[in-house]
Amino acid sequence: MIKIALTGGDGLVGSKIVEILKSDENFDIHLILEQQMDITNRESVFNTLKGLNFDVFLHLAAYTNVDKAEIEKEKARKINVEGTRNVFDAVRSMNKNFVYISTDFVFDGKMQKTPFFEDSKPNPISYYGLTKYEGEKIVNGNGTIIRIAYPYRTKFDNKPDLVRNIKSLLEQGKFLSMVTDSLIVPTFIDDIAYALKKFLLSKNFKPEIFHLVGTQALSPYECGKIIARTFDLDDSLIKPITYEEYFKGKAKRPRFSDIKSSNNNFCKMGGFEETVFKFKDEFK
Ligand SMILES: NC(=O)c1ccc[n+]([C@@H]2O[C@H](COP(=O)([O-])OP(=O)(O)OC[C@H]3O[C@@H](n4cnc5c(N)ncnc54)[C@H](OP(=O)(O)O)[C@@H]3O)[C@@H](O)[C@H]2O)c1
């Protein structure tokens, strides 16, 4: 039995991880929600964790609003940097394993033909990306860093994601502008959760970085077309727009975020076309 404690267990990604790990008898899961422990309160973090028995700590809690982070810088830093330091220090003081969930937004995505692997050099271009990278620097060398990208899942009422968003707008017959000249790697959250499960079962908690990401980099416009085709929706509602135009006045995102993995040799991840079919199946 592997005892897992985690923050962010009621979020978009965390709640699916909890669902999948809970359904496996090898895991004992302990969620720590924000109302029980605000990660920015160092004393509360140390006191809460002291009373817990766990083998591995998964740290998913974060300030995740990329655009708002440019305005609420102090809040984003407090949660993503100080919060991560508090949790990491408490976990390390107990000599337990630490796993930090990070993002492809630590990269700049400036070059079209340069994929990002685990050993590529981060160079964040948004404040959110910067705070997540600072979180990585706290963990690096003493814990596992797992980077994910554009996660999506079938159902989650509290927060939209790229795929559910496009599907819903097309179903309502709305026009949408989608970027043609950039690259993203949408990743099915179920794949992330299964890969994480395999990683945890391996009990090989080396202080390494892993990219748990889909295997297909494509433009948001292409994503939109695939979603329309998969769900028999009208793809003529999707209009092309350039990256420059679309993100005018918004936080910068890596333009060519072609994130790949050379370290994930424990779990096969799906390409977008394949996982959107799985997503459709789950809807039924
Ligand atoms: N979503 C994405 O597109 C994406 C992409 C790449 C990487 N990631 C990373 O994946 C992880 C999970 O993201 P997500 O989208 O699932 O997050 P989310 O749905 O926005 O949920 C954020 C979680 O953090 C918790 N939290 C926020 N502030 C906290 C605080 N001060 N103390 C304790 N808990 C706090 C929230 O608790 P409450 O619900 O109680 O507020 C919630 O459980 C994050 O580390 C994120 O950086 C996400």
Side-chain angles (χ1 to χ4, degrees):
M1 175 77 78
I2 307 173
K3 294 191 188 72
I4 310 278
L6 79 161
T7 59
D10 61 354
L12 172 73
V13 181
S15 54
K16 178 53 88 174
I17 290 173
V18 168
E19 181 190 314
I20 286 174
L21 295 186
K22 266 196 168 164
S23 66
D24 187 311
E25 59 187 16
N26 289 300
F27 295 99
D28 178 37
I29 308 295
H30 187 96
L31 268 81
I32 310 167
L33 300 177
E34 188 176 354
Q35 56 266 37
Q36 294 161 260
M37 182 183 92
D38 177 346
I39 60 168
T40 65
N41 182 335
R42 191 169 173 90
E43 203 184 325
S44 161
V45 170
F46 273 77
N47 286 338
T48 309
L49 298 201
K50 211 166 52 191
L52 284 182
N53 179 16
F54 61 90
D55 307 305
V56 184
F57 199 96
L58 300 183
H59 179 47
L60 286 109
Y63 181 104
T64 57
N65 190 318
V66 179
D67 290 312
K68 262 170 99 180
E70 300 294 327
I71 301 150
E72 297 186 333
K73 286 189 170 159
E74 213 179 302
K75 188 172 176 192
R77 169 166 292 276
K78 219 168 170 206
I79 296 171
N80 292 355
V81 184
E82 284 173 38
T84 297
R85 182 175 293 114
N86 293 340
V87 181
F88 177 75
D89 286 350
V91 171
R92 291 300 295 167
S93 74
M94 299 166 76
N95 274 321
K96 307 290 183 185
N97 300 297
F98 190 85
V99 178
Y100 172 68
I101 304 297
S102 192
T103 168
D104 58 328
F105 280 28
V106 298
F107 297 117
D108 58 23
K110 285 189 177 146
M111 309 295 282
Q112 186 165 8
K113 294 208 164 76
T114 310
F116 295 107
F117 289 93
E118 284 88 348
D119 59 356
S120 301
K121 187 153 175 38
N123 180 32
I125 53 170
S126 63
Y127 197 73
Y128 165 74
L130 178 71
T131 59
K132 290 297 290 184
Y133 180 43
E134 292 200 9
E136 285 193 4
K137 288 197 272 189
I138 292 165
V139 179
N140 205 0
N142 289 299
T144 305
I145 295 169
I146 291 184
R147 297 194 186 115
I148 61 173
Y150 290 87
Y152 72 93
R153 61 184 284 187
T154 316
K155 291 187 191 90
F156 188 67
D157 290 340
N158 296 346
K159 189 174 166 181
D161 59 46
L162 178 87
V163 176
R164 277 180 292 126
N165 210 11
I166 296 170
K167 178 174 171 288
S168 158
L169 291 168
L170 292 176
E171 281 167 347
Q172 294 169 56
K174 294 198 174 149
F175 283 102
L176 56 159
S177 300
M178 301 214 62
V179 176
T180 49
D181 56 350
S182 82
L183 287 176
I184 59 172
V185 177
T187 309
F188 196 33
I189 297 180
D190 301 45
D191 279 5
I192 297 172
Y194 282 115
L196 186 64
K197 179 172 125 173
K198 283 200 169 174
F199 167 76
L200 294 168
L201 285 172
S202 77
K203 297 190 182 169
N204 189 5
F205 302 112
K206 279 190 286 186
E208 259 189 273
I209 302 178
F210 295 100
H211 290 175
L212 297 186
V213 292
T215 54
Q216 205 178 356
L218 62 188
S219 72
Y221 181 81
E222 288 171 297
C223 290
K225 293 280 178 182
I226 290 169
I227 293 163
R229 255 198 330 266
T230 309
F231 286 93
D232 288 325
L233 296 164
D234 180 4
D235 75 345
S236 68
L237 294 167
I238 305 172
K239 304 293 173 201
I241 190 169
T242 63
Y243 170 90
E244 283 300 331
E245 259 182 288
Y246 188 84
F247 287 112
K248 209 178 279 170
K250 293 187 185 154
K252 283 187 190 150
R253 270 84 169 159
R255 179 166 170 189
F256 300 108
S257 191
D258 182 5
I259 182 165
K260 292 191 182 337
S261 179
S262 47
N263 290 355
N264 171 15
N265 48 22
F266 48 86
C267 192
K268 189 186 163 298
M269 307 291 285
F272 187 61
E273 276 162 297
E274 178 191 343
T275 53
V276 163
F277 264 105
K278 286 197 203 165
F279 170 96
K280 188 181 176 188
D281 269 353
E282 269 191 31
F283 250 102
K284 286 179 191 155

